């Protein structure tokens, strides 16, 4: 119940109009629970087709800005019986939900291969082209008496195509040309290296022919050197900046869904832990934070203890919500043409647009070979105008992020809201290659703008050339949040459910310093936060940048403790906290005494056990030298026993993610891989 109330409060912070936008969304699955990918979903009213869409990689569909009333929803997918649901009531001002289950057609095949051609209308200003010319997804279907005949017929259709060359097949699509000598492809005259297409789900660029599934080889991750145990008698102080970023979790989930284990440096343990909401108590009236600490046994190391620190920011009432001045800086270069990049960006913006208010302003700047102001600052209630621009966005060209970044900040400055939230939101795969000449210069520019009250948040998309390291640094320098969007469900979480906290900052430069008592603590190890560590003297230095906290945000940190023998029950030390009010330059100070009584694991709170489960999972993914007895099954057991308050099913989804990881590691072990 607490979780539900927090979710409602986060939405109320946005101070929506008296009615919210009406929408209908859900998930389409087969009778085994597997998602139907790229299935057709049609919406009818009074027998007339109103609109249609396709399901995404996770089987989700979404219809926005609907009129309230009674509809019919029809789903279709090759090899499945068409499903039509009549009398679907869509209520005004609600995000209506409808999940649909489809049944395999009993007269279909063991395997279906589809060849289709799409001849679209000419769009003069669009350098993108979409068409399916080969199977991107197949699934086993029930056997039948005529399945052999049908399979032979499908095979004959494929063999009758005029070419067997992959690039030549792509060149049979309208708007696509190919050069035999160089084996290159060009879409509507664009450069060959700006052309992306898929073969059996593998992204291909230029004239490259895929030989294996995509890996993290072309992606960028900053090296993580795990924190070591430190003797409390040698150094009693542990200092770090808070981190409310959550990109690492959804990125890890993307790897597992693709049948790959993520690289160790992609697993930032604190971001996995902080992906989830924790039911910490609300601050007392007049306080910015509530602090909760708990001590229990370390599940993966016998004799060690786990110190759990939880911080909760105050919730805000609707009248406190400041107007938002948002400038979306959208990468529309050739590398963004993939289904899980720009098309997903557009879907995500559609969700956010539904939540904008009249007092909000949104602008859009796009960049490719050059940059363009696609939308000048527009009131949030002009939704049709905003979505008209969003829907016309197309990918093509090089990447000139630097010049566009200047223009985005100029717009944010020109329409600056003195008492509002002023923010540039960058949506990209991180493949900056033109513009501001060096990473150092880019970071300095963003930090300079941060000092003026304009923050930078980053939304990462896609695979293959994803630059996680670069995007994380930009968001850190910009006092903003960093998220990775791997599907429409994650977009809704980031841009709707949690956007209130993102836009309404209640504190900046939030630093934690734990002072351990060497008479009770032998050694300690901070779990995660490796790239957020600060020097002891940085704690009182108000010029030192640290993390931002939004309304209702929670921050969780874990320490692994080796206690002094015979010191049971004695306090471990003191937690010190410094932060600044958003409009202030001088920090404020709080402190909290750490506990000394360690509870039995079964007596600890669900917050404690679930955070421990996520840390256990991260230790396994990283193959940490400190993992001790940590196993995926241990992580699953801990998580499964700590999800009573899970109204959004995020914790249940985590349990399923662990199961997928267990199956994947078993398959890799069987194949002789490590």
């Amino acid at each position: 119940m607490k979780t539900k109330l927090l979710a409602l409060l986060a939405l109320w912070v946005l101070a929506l109009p008296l009615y919210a936008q009406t929408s209908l969304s859900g998930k389409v699955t087969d009778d085994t629970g597997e998602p139907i990918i790229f299935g057709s979903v049609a919406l009818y009213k009074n027998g007339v087709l109103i609109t249609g869409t396709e399901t995404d990689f996770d089987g989700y569909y979404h219809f926005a800005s609907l009129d309230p009333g009674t509809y019919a929803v029809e789903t279709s997918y090759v090899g499945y019986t068409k499903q039509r649901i009549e009398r679907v009531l869509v209520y005004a001002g609600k995000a209506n939900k409808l999940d649909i289950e489809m049944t395999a057609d009993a007269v279909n095949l063991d395997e279906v291969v589809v060849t289709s051609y799409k001849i679209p209308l000419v769009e003069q200003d669009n350098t993108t082209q979409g068409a399916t010319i080969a199977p991107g997804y197949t699934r086993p279907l029930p056997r039948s008496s005529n399945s052999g005949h049908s399979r032979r017929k499908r095979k004959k259709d494929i063999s009758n195509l005029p070419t067997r060359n992959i690039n030549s097949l792509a060149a049979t699509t309208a708007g696509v040309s190919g050069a035999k000598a160089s084996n290159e492809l060009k879409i509507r005259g664009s450069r060959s290296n700006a052309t992306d297409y898929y073969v059996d789900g593998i992204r291909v660029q230029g004239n490259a022919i895929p030989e294996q599934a995509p890996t993290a080889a072309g992606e960028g991750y900053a090296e993580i050197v795990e924190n070591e145990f430190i003797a409390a008698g040698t150094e009693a102080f542990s200092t770090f900046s808070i981190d409310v970023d959550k990109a690492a979790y959804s990125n890890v989930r993307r790897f597992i869904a693709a049948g790959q284990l993520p690289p160790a440096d992609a697993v930032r343990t604190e971001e996995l832990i902080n992906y989830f909401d924790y039911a910490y108590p609300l601050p007392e009236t007049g306080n910015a934070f509530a602090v909760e600490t708990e001590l229990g046994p370390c599940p993966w190391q016998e004799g060690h203890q786990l110190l759990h620190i939880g911080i909760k920011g105050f919730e805000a009432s609707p009248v406190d919500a400041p107007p938002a001045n948002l400038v979306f800086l959208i990468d529309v270069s050739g590398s963004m043409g993939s289904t899980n990049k720009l098309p997903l960006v557009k879907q995500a913006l559609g969700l956010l647009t539904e939540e904008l208010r009249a007092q909000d302003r949104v602008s859009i700047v796009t960049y490719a070979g050059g940059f363009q102001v696609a939308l000048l600052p527009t009131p949030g209630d002009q939704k049709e105008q905003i979505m008209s621009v969003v829907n016309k966005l197309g990918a093509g060209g090089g990447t000139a992020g630097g010049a566009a970044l200047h223009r985005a900040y100029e717009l944010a400055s020109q329409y600056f809201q003195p008492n509002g939230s002023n923010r540039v939101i960058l949506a990209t795969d991180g493949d900056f290659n033109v513009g501001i000449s060096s990473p150092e210069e880019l970071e300095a520019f963003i930090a300079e703008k941060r000092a003026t009250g304009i923050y930078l948040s980053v939304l990462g998309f896609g695979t293959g050339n994803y630059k996680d390291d670069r995007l994380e640094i930009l968001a850190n320098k910009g006092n903003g949040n960093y998220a990775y969007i791997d599907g429409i469900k994650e977009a809704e979480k980031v841009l709707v459910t949690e956007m209130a906290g993102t836009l309404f900052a209640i504190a900046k430069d939030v630093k934690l310093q734990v002072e351990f008592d060497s008479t009770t603590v032998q050694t300690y190890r901070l779990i995660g936060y490796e790239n957020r560590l600060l020097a002891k003297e940085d704690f009182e230095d108000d010029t030192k940048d640290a993390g931002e906290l939004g309304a209702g945000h929670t921050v969780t940190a874990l320490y692994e403790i080796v206690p002094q023998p015979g010191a049971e029950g004695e306090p471990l030390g003191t937690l010190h906290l410094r932060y600044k009010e958003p409009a202030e330059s001088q920090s404020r100070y709080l402190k909290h005494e750490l506990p000394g009584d360690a509870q039995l694991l079964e007596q600890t709170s669900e917050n404690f056990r679930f955070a421990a489960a996520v840390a256990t999972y991260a230790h396994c993914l990283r193959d940490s030298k400190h993992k001790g007895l940590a196993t995926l099954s241990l992580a699953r057991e801990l998580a499964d026993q700590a999800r009573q308050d899970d109204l959004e099913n995020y914790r249940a989804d985590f349990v399923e993610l662990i199961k997928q990881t267990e199956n994947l590691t078993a398959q890799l072990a069987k194949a002789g891989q490590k």
Side-chain angles (χ1 to χ4, degrees):
M1 188 62 185
K2 288 182 180 179
T3 306
K4 185 65 175 178
L5 288 173
L6 294 180
L8 289 172
L9 284 170
L11 292 175
W12 290 341
V13 170
L14 289 171
L16 295 175
L18 292 178
Y19 61 93
Q21 292 297 308
T22 305
S23 65
L24 176 65
S25 60
K27 186 173 184 178
V28 182
T29 60
D30 64 14
D31 49 10
T32 68
E34 289 293 317
I36 299 293
I37 300 175
F38 299 137
S40 296
V41 185
L43 192 65
Y44 293 82
K45 191 172 186 179
N46 298 326
V48 178
L49 177 63
I50 302 299
T51 185
T53 187
E54 287 185 338
T55 57
D56 64 11
F57 282 102
D58 297 313
Y60 288 96
Y61 71 92
H62 183 79
F63 295 112
S65 301
L66 297 178
D67 293 327
T70 303
Y71 292 79
V73 180
E74 186 177 273
T75 59
S76 58
Y77 188 77
V78 63
Y80 284 77
T81 302
K82 185 177 292 186
Q83 179 82 1
R84 187 180 178 98
I85 300 176
E86 302 285 355
R87 300 192 59 77
V88 177
L89 295 177
V90 174
Y91 295 97
K94 289 189 175 182
N96 299 273
K97 302 292 184 183
L98 176 67
D99 293 336
I100 302 171
E101 181 177 298
M102 300 187 70
T103 304
D105 191 338
V107 300
N108 269 302
L109 329 171
D110 290 328
E111 182 177 87
V112 176
V113 177
V114 180
T115 304
S116 64
Y117 295 86
K118 178 181 179 183
I119 309 299
L121 295 175
V122 174
E123 297 176 72
Q124 190 172 13
D125 298 325
N126 187 8
T127 59
T128 66
Q129 175 67 43
T132 301
I133 63 169
Y137 185 79
T138 60
R139 64 171 68 230
L141 295 175
R143 292 183 180 272
S144 67
S145 59
N146 64 344
S147 63
H149 169 74
S150 298
R151 292 183 72 181
R152 286 193 295 271
K153 183 177 185 295
R154 290 293 196 277
K155 184 176 180 181
K156 183 178 180 181
D157 290 342
I158 294 294
S159 64
N160 283 340
L161 287 173
T163 179
R164 305 300 295 167
N165 178 274
I166 292 176
N167 287 356
S168 297
L169 286 174
T172 63
T173 303
V176 181
S177 62
K180 292 183 179 179
S182 60
N183 199 28
E184 292 183 346
L185 285 179
K186 297 181 179 180
I187 294 181
R188 289 179 173 165
S190 68
R191 294 175 293 106
S192 173
N193 61 7
T195 298
D196 283 10
Y197 54 100
Y198 279 76
V199 177
D200 285 341
I202 301 174
R203 187 173 67 88
V204 184
Q205 188 177 74
N207 60 357
I209 303 299
E211 295 180 355
Q212 57 186 10
T215 67
E219 301 184 2
Y221 296 96
E223 182 183 8
I224 296 176
V225 179
E226 278 192 297
N227 295 326
E228 297 290 345
F229 281 96
I230 298 174
T234 303
E235 178 54 74
F237 293 90
S238 172
T239 310
F240 63 98
S241 162
I242 68 162
D243 183 9
V244 296
D245 292 344
K246 303 173 182 181
Y249 180 84
S250 47
N251 192 30
V252 164
R253 183 173 60 198
R254 180 257 297 189
F255 274 102
I256 301 300
Q260 305 170 39
L261 292 176
D265 291 332
V267 184
R268 291 187 290 275
T269 304
E270 73 279 4
E271 292 188 22
L272 270 64
I273 294 172
N274 284 308
Y275 181 85
F276 302 94
D277 187 31
Y278 296 88
Y280 300 137
L282 290 171
E284 296 180 359
T285 303
N287 293 336
F289 304 103
V291 179
E292 184 170 275
T293 56
E294 191 172 359
L295 186 65
C298 179
W300 58 82
Q301 196 64 262
E302 187 175 354
H304 289 195
Q305 296 174 338
L306 204 60
L307 172 64
H308 180 117
I309 299 173
I311 297 173
K312 172 75 174 181
F314 73 79
E315 299 284 358
S317 66
V319 295
D320 293 324
N325 170 30
L326 307 178
V327 182
F328 279 92
L329 178 56
I330 303 175
D331 185 348
V332 294
S333 60
S335 67
M336 287 289 290
S338 309
T339 305
N340 58 355
K341 294 186 181 181
L342 185 59
L344 185 54
V345 173
K346 293 162 69 172
Q347 285 183 283
L349 289 179
L351 293 176
L352 177 63
T353 300
E354 291 187 54
E355 308 299 328
L356 294 173
R357 307 159 294 169
Q359 64 265 42
D360 299 326
R361 293 291 182 273
V362 60
S363 315
I364 297 177
V365 178
T366 62
Y367 65 94
F371 73 87
Q372 177 184 3
V373 178
L375 179 71
L376 287 168
T378 302
D381 59 351
Q382 303 297 313
K383 302 183 189 303
E384 289 187 6
Q385 181 181 350
I386 296 170
M387 289 309 301
S388 175
V389 172
V390 171
N391 290 331
K392 291 178 182 176
L393 297 178
T399 309
L405 193 63
H406 278 282
R407 187 68 181 105
Y409 274 105
E410 286 175 3
L411 283 174
S413 177
Q414 185 178 352
Y415 293 87
F416 189 85
Q417 294 279 356
N419 298 314
S421 174
N422 300 278
R423 193 174 298 261
V424 174
I425 301 178
L426 172 62
T428 179
D429 59 7
D431 194 15
F432 284 91
N433 55 33
V434 181
I436 294 181
S437 57
S438 71
E440 293 77 16
E441 186 180 351
L442 184 61
E443 293 165 23
F445 173 78
I446 292 171
E448 175 187 342
K449 296 300 180 182
R450 176 190 73 213
T452 69
I454 302 174
Y455 295 168
L456 175 72
S457 290
V458 178
L459 304 178
F461 292 83
T463 65
N465 60 342
Y466 186 61
K467 307 304 180 194
D468 172 87
D469 50 351
R470 189 173 303 180
L471 297 185
E472 185 195 16
I473 290 175
L474 295 184
N476 290 349
K477 295 294 182 181
N479 254 21
N481 305 84
Y482 171 40
Y484 177 79
I485 309 297
D486 62 336
I488 194 63
K489 186 177 180 181
E490 184 67 13
E492 185 173 18
K493 181 178 187 289
V494 171
L495 293 175
V496 178
T497 306
E498 298 176 352
M499 183 52 85
T502 299
L503 296 183
F504 189 10
I506 64 172
K508 64 182 181 181
D509 294 339
V510 183
K511 308 169 189 174
L512 298 183
Q513 186 174 76
V514 180
E515 181 182 4
F516 288 105
D517 186 343
S518 61
T519 64
T520 56
V521 176
Q522 284 191 60
T523 59
Y524 62 87
R525 178 175 73 92
L526 175 61
I527 298 173
Y529 293 94
E530 284 86 0
N531 59 359
R532 301 286 181 147
L533 299 179
L534 298 172
K536 174 185 174 182
E537 56 272 16
D538 290 339
F539 182 70
E540 296 185 354
D541 183 356
D542 282 352
T543 66
K544 201 70 176 180
D545 180 52
E548 176 194 41
L549 191 73
H553 277 168
T554 62
V555 177
T556 301
L558 301 177
Y559 280 91
E560 185 176 352
I561 305 290
V562 179
Q564 290 283 11
E568 293 82 1
E570 297 297 321
L572 298 181
T574 305
L575 170 66
H576 307 277
L577 187 151
R578 281 196 178 274
Y579 71 97
K580 297 174 188 172
E581 294 283 345
E584 295 180 355
S585 58
Q586 185 172 353
S587 65
R588 304 188 181 197
Y589 171 73
L590 298 172
K591 75 174 183 177
H592 181 89
E593 295 302 318
L594 297 177
D597 292 322
Q599 305 178 76
L600 297 175
L601 185 61
E602 58 269 22
Q603 296 174 336
T604 58
S605 67
E606 286 202 357
N607 288 335
F608 182 98
R609 295 197 302 277
F610 192 81
V614 182
T616 302
Y617 178 68
H619 279 57
C620 293
L621 288 182
R622 291 187 53 80
D623 194 21
S624 168
K625 69 177 181 179
H626 300 296
K627 70 179 182 180
L629 302 175
T631 62
L632 292 173
S633 61
L634 174 61
R636 175 169 44 79
E637 291 169 7
L638 287 169
D640 204 31
Q641 298 168 6
R643 53 190 184 96
Q644 186 172 353
D645 288 332
D646 187 29
L647 298 181
E648 297 88 359
N649 289 323
Y650 296 144
R651 295 190 178 193
D653 290 343
F654 175 62
V655 173
E656 291 303 313
L657 180 64
I658 299 176
K659 292 178 182 178
Q660 293 177 34
T661 310
E662 288 180 295
N663 292 335
L664 176 59
T665 53
Q667 293 171 12
L668 294 178
K670 187 176 181 180
Q673 302 181 43
K674 294 184 180 180

